[in-house]
């Protein structure tokens, strides 16, 4: 029993020391490589989509877009056999189609050149290899007929559809950011290196709009300092105190998603949207490069989705995992009946505004709060089921919790403790090995003495 007990003790010591060595190494590595200098932000962009790369290499005359199939594989539409072979060699699935991207975009150019009809929208349906033209209930029979003539002249691959409701920017009706210009949802925190801002929808209000996070106007968020709408749909609200405190998107019930970079939406991709009216909702990207003719003007280059939205969700974030994709622009329908929602791609907005996402975890003094993965998953499911309104960008507030354990481990101040833990564990491993070897030597000498006395 004594020998067995000593073996258990030795094994426990070795395992504990090895665990400490690993933990110390993680603390040092994350603190040295993962934590930015004070006051800076690090952008970790999502990996380039391989389907988009193949499309770019083959060109618009030989391809007709890319999407994610129902099996999760990337599909690339091609117009010839050699292009299909190239796609397959890249490990992707090829699908032969009759009309190239050049054909489809020529049709959308013809639609754009026709007299503008408010309440209409069009986009490229890659899986169907068609251009889809939508018209809401506000479009008259005469306008519908004229638009149909343009569509027929553009090509047989242009499909006309009527849809319920009205295509409108989703401004009214909810917190968390409010002004005399309307009510919207915060999107993503961004920075230009000197000051921090909230990225939201451009239709939410003109430059100079003053925004608050409380309905009684007691807590000022900031003021709109840049705006583009129509044409595109994005704006910047500069924080009144000059800085953001978080890199997370709230998902309701205390959960959040940490934003780690930007990406481009792909057709078929599963996405989530967070908004202050209808909470967290999910759906799929149905088209990219969409054009919408709102009553206020035309907006181009939008992401079209099956995610529902309602007034007040405007400006809210569209994301997939930790990747920022867009901010809510407008649409039709609601979250009871469903509908189509359009989003301004976040990459285009960041480039035009000369800013980048705040994505790096800051020190605990900034008050950033991040839920654990388990808590976030629970909150996501709960918010999706209940339409929790406590969603959107996590805005600064007093009394926020300290950063999560992972963020604390990544802080620069943990380099010293990490080295200490690693060093101590290494010493413990060496000592345990030496003690074991010394005992083995003594045992051997006793045995040798007995045998050869």
């Amino acid at each position: 029993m004594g020998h067995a007990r000593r073996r258990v003790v030795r094994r426990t010591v070795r395992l504990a020391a090895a665990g400490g060595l690993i933990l110390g190494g993680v603390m040092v590595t994350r603190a040295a490589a993962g934590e930015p200098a004070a006051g800076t932000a690090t952008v970790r962009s999502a990996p380039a989509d391989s389907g988009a790369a193949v499309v770019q290499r083959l060109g618009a005359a030989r391809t007709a877009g890319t999407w994610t199939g129902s099996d999760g594989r990337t599909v690339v539409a091609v117009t010839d056999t050699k292009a299909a072979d190239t796609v397959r060699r890249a490990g992707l699935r090829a699908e032969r189609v009759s009309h190239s991207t050049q054909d489809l975009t020529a049709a959308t150019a013809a639609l754009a050149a026709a007299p503008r009809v408010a309440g209409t929208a069009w986009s490229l349906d890659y899986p169907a290899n068609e251009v889809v033209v939508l018209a809401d209930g506000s479009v008259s029979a005469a306008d519908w007929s004229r638009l149909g003539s343009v569509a027929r002249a553009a090509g047989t691959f242009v499909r006309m559809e009527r849809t319920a409701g009205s295509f409108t920017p989703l401004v009214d009706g909810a917190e968390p950011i409010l002004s005399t210009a309307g009510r919207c949802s915060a999107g993503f925190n961004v920075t230009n290196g000197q000051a921090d801002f909230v990225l939201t929808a451009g239709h939410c209000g003109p430059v100079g709009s003053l925004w608050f996070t409380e309905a009684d106007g007691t807590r000022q968020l900031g003021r709109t300092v840049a705006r583009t709408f129509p044409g595109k749909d994005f704006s910047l609200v500069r924080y009144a105190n000059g800085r953001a405190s978080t890199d997370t998107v709230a998902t309701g019930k205390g959960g959040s998603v940490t934003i780690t970079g930007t990406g481009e939406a792909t057709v078929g991709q599963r996405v989530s949207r967070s908004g202050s009216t209808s909470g967290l909702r999910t759906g799929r990207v149905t088209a990219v490069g969409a054009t919408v003719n709102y009553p206020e003007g035309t907006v181009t280059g939008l992401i079209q989705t099956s995610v529902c939205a309602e007034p007040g969700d405007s400006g809210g974030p569209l994301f997939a995992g930790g990747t920022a994709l867009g901010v809510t622009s407008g649409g039709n329908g609601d979250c009871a009946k469903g509908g189509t929602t359009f989003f301004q791609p976040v990459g285009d907005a960041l480039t035009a505004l000369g800013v980048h996402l705040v994505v790096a975890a800051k020190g605990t003094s900034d008050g950033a709060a991040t839920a654990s993965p388990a808590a976030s998953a629970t909150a996501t499911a709960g918010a999706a089921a209940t339409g929790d309104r406590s969603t959107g960008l996590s805005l600064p507030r007093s009394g926020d919790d300290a950063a999560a354990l992972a963020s604390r481990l990544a802080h620069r101040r943990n380099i010293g403790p990490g080295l200490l833990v690693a060093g101590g564990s290494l010493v413990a491993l060496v000592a345990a090995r030496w003690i074991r070897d010394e005992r083995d030597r003594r045992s051997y000498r006793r045995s040798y003495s007995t045998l050869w006395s």
Side-chain angles (χ1 to χ4, degrees), residues 54-236:
V54 172
V55 166
Q56 184 176 15
R57 188 163 68 250
L58 290 173
R62 304 179 66 196
T63 61
T66 179
W67 65 91
T68 302
S70 57
D71 59 357
R73 291 187 62 192
T74 298
V75 183
V76 178
V78 295
T79 58
D80 62 75
T81 302
K82 288 186 177 180
D85 292 339
T86 300
V87 171
R88 295 188 188 100
R89 283 195 299 271
L92 310 177
R93 196 168 84 218
E95 184 167 313
R96 286 289 299 272
V97 296
S98 302
H99 310 290
S100 68
T101 297
Q102 282 186 347
D103 299 329
L104 302 179
T105 54
T108 60
L111 292 166
R116 179 179 177 275
V117 178
T120 59
W122 51 80
S123 60
L124 307 184
D125 186 340
Y126 291 140
N129 196 223
E130 293 176 330
V131 175
V132 181
V133 180
L134 300 175
D136 67 23
S138 68
V139 177
S140 68
D143 284 338
W144 176 249
S145 177
R146 283 193 293 270
L147 195 59
S149 298
V150 175
R152 286 189 294 274
T156 57
F157 50 85
V158 180
R159 186 171 83 242
M160 301 280 290
E161 290 184 2
R162 280 279 195 176
T163 185
S166 298
F167 292 129
T168 57
L170 305 171
V171 178
D172 299 329
E175 296 178 359
I177 59 173
L178 308 95
S179 80
T180 55
R183 299 184 181 186
C184 282
S185 298
F188 299 100
N189 275 329
V190 299
T191 183
N192 62 7
Q194 287 77 45
D196 292 353
F197 311 84
V198 173
L199 176 67
T200 188
H203 68 260
C204 287
V207 171
S209 299
L210 190 60
W211 293 93
F212 299 88
T213 58
E214 299 291 343
D216 58 6
T218 56
R219 295 189 58 217
Q220 181 178 333
L221 172 65
R223 190 181 297 272
T224 301
V225 295
R227 179 214 191 196
T228 298
F229 180 79
K232 300 296 181 181
D233 194 1
F234 52 78
S235 65
L236 282 181

Side-chain angles (χ1 to χ4, degrees), residues 361-389:
K362 294 176 181 268
T364 56
S365 60
D366 287 343
T370 306
S372 67
S376 292
T378 302
T380 298
T386 63
D388 191 294
R389 295 185 179 218

Side-chain angles (χ1 to χ4, degrees), residues 350-396:
L350 298 179
T351 300
L353 294 166
V355 295
H356 55 270
L357 289 177
V358 173
V359 297
K362 294 176 181 268
T364 56
S365 60
D366 287 343
T370 306
S372 67
S376 292
T378 302
T380 298
T386 63
D388 191 294
R389 295 185 179 218
S390 301
T391 56
L393 179 67
S394 298
L395 299 174

